[in-house]
Amino acid sequence: MYRRNVPALAAAAIAAGLTNGQQSRWQQNQVSATMCTWKGLRAAQLNDTAYLDGGSLSWVPGFADGSSGPVVQDDNPQGFIYTLNFSIPFDSSTNISRILNTITKPANNLAPNYYDGALLANDYEFFLYGGLLIRTAAYSPPDGDEVLAYRVADYGVVKDGFRVGPEQVKLPDGVTRYVTYGGAANAPSENKAWYFGGSRSPSAGQIYQVGGGDNFNPTNVSDTLITLDLSKSQSEKWFNDTLPDFIPSRANPSVVWVPVGEQGILVVLGGVAYPSYSTDDAVSLNEAQSEKVSPGYMSNVDIYDIASKKWYQQPTIEAPPQLALGCAVVASAQDFSSYNIYYYGGFDGLHEQEDFSDAVWVLSLPSFVWKKVSSGTTEHARAGHQCLTPYPDQMFTIGGYRASKGIAKSCLDGGILQVFNLTEGKWLSSYDPSVWNEYGVPEILHSAIGGSYSGGATVTTPTPTGWATPALASVFATKYATSKITHHYPYASQPPTNGTRGPLKTGGGGTPSWIAPVLGVVLGLVFVTAVVVAIVLYRKRHVLSVKREGSDNSGDEHHHRIRNWVNNIGGKAVTVSTERTPSRLDDIESRNDTSTHPAGSTAQSPSPEMVQHEMPANQMYELHDTSPTAYGPPMPGIAQAAELGDNPLTHDDVLTRYSHAYSPNSPHTRSPHSIMQSSSVFTGSVSQEQPSSLSSSQIGILPGPGTGAAVAGRGDSPLLGNFNPARTPPPKRSTIVSELSEHRMSHLRNLSGGTVSSTSNAATSLPGTPPPMHTGFNDRSVSPQLVGSPTPLDDAADAAGDYMSARHGFGGGTHAGLSRGPGTSGSLRLSVFRENTDDLGDAPKQSHTQ
């Protein structure tokens, strides 16, 4: 079997019909049309919707003056498939065409209008199988192996390219569409459908509606059972099985699926042999034989066990007379103690001019007892209709036609759509989707089989005949898994859609009964989960808040320390200490320094402790120059000294306390390399006796080999001792001013250039003249010496009032010859620490040069 997608079919299926009324033969001044009869239609129930196709539909036209005309035959030229949603209420006054929706299929050789046949379906799709065509020259009929499928929704494994709408399907070998007048049954819970018996043409080929010629009339019996397996969407399988000899084929039987056994059973009842409506003259080809065998189709029912694929035949008692073209539905007792098959309408299949049946008969299984629950009336009787069950206790009858007792055609009494209450055994005048109940076994029936309305049947075997075979008894003893059966009711009531069709639905139109308990459980779980999550979040928030308090306290303390530093508020400086020997790598500003030990230098002295102060009671360090220069790497042998201390010392204090530190004979004399190693601004400890003092490794004094020590200072901090007072005037000071507040600048003018302390107790001696050294701030060579008598710098300091003013005002010249070291030249960076000339008071306006 292969399939052919037809885009035109899909497009046509989605389009809604402009009207659900009469499709052709409208007359002048006609304003309405009412469905009169619908003979030979086929129907299927998918979820909450009934799909109605084919058949011969007639209408009564209504005119503007209020009158109505004679019945008009309309053979569905537009190829509509009608749909009826079970959520729409109606009553006896409702124009049924207004509550029916339509979907279209091409009315041509791909999907012509069929009379009779079946819709084989599950809950998601249906196949238009079998039936009769009108013989016409307008188009060629489809091939015998082509049928039309209609996809309502996908199911199972999701497949690419699925779309709602019709699809042309190719049948496999051994299966043909050239069959009609059979009986069909669908079992959505098993995803299977069947077509039993029926008739074919004498040639076993093309068949048409009666009148197309004897060779094309459905006069021969079809002894087959067609099975359609719908387990896999778009991968359906067809099977054709020949009926055993003891199972007679016939025309228009009713077939129902009953939930008994492993996969259920099919029960075939009614039908007729040699029907009169299969010939051109409406006369049975063998009426006598038909009257002989046809009544047996009600008194002896045929049963097919789906799981074992075996046929059985079981006698019944109190059976109705010979009937065909009726309809049948199944209603199961609430406890599944009985399965009751309702059969409504029809006629004997031989005499269309005689009264049709309006009786409702019930065959109860497994007792196999017939009971008539409603006799009905002759006027209301019909045949050729279809039956569906929207609710467990209600049966819809759709379509049909009346006996032809005269020349004029008459419409169905009560309308084309009727409702029967299965529990009460009564016809209803209206349908309300909000009014329904579970099925109850009618009193006339449970009085015969035992039990009550809810079930509890005590007669569980055929009486008095007994089981025809023990194998059939075994089938009935096997319980069906009713959990596989899906109910789509109840349905939410909604008004008619006025002839327009909305989106196709794939689920129930109402709220199933299981929604309430499931919803309660789900909501309960959601509530419990929400409570647990809330508790967890609360505890987590509490823990985080505790941690945040500790973190905030620490942050506040650090914040206040920074503010104290900025505002110069607080007590003594923070102590920074370490126990390890400072290394050259500790000096961040000297980490690119490639200085080496000058000849004759020594480094046996341990690194003395150190402290640095930028301002009183605040920890701050002058950042040393680490930027590369145009003339090479950092100057070897130059230690970066602290800029200022918080206790300025006089020249006498410096000589008294620290001049011995660089005596050539002192055991603590240090090489330039050792001094650089101990000059890290992040090592050392605060002296307990002199918190504002600095270690000797921080003041930048370098000993020469055998010539004494040299002091390396910043360009704006003159070196102590004897040095050349000549200095190069600096650039205009207003162009290089540090971004300090007025308060800070006023404070810094009173700071000393630096103080020195040492833990060494060695004898004091003045070094000789050292070799030229780099200061790191300007390109001048100096050979300062520490002297024991006041210098011009001290005199200037006394005159100026502070060391800073004296430093800038002394000499007025430059330090001649100061350079980066032997063999080097080029400009040097200025100190990052700058003073505004306006803040220097009465200091002379001199500037540094590079």
Side-chain angles (χ1 to χ4, degrees), residues 10 30 37 74 88 120 141 153 172 244 323 355 469 495 510 546 630 703 751 764 791:
Q30 182 178 346
T37 61
D74 181 4
I88 301 176
L120 304 180
L323 290 171
D355 291 335
T469 171
V546 172
L751 294 180
T764 302
T791 65

Side-chain angles (χ1 to χ4, degrees), residues 274-287 349-350 352:
Y274 306 108
S276 61
Y277 48 81
S278 65
T279 64
D280 291 344
D281 56 5
V283 175
S284 173
L285 295 178
N286 193 339
E287 183 175 333
L350 300 174
E352 283 189 306

Side-chain angles (χ1 to χ4, degrees), residues 629-647:
T629 62
Y631 45 78
M635 295 177 296
I638 303 302
Q640 305 298 324
E643 175 66 25
L644 300 174
D646 60 347
N647 293 322

Side-chain angles (χ1 to χ4, degrees), residues 501-506:
R501 176 175 175 77
L504 293 172
K505 297 183 179 180
T506 61

Side-chain angles (χ1 to χ4, degrees), residues 629-633 635 774 820 824-829:
T629 62
Y631 45 78
M635 295 177 296
H774 291 289
R820 297 181 65 87
T824 64
S825 65
S827 62
L828 297 176
R829 282 179 46 185

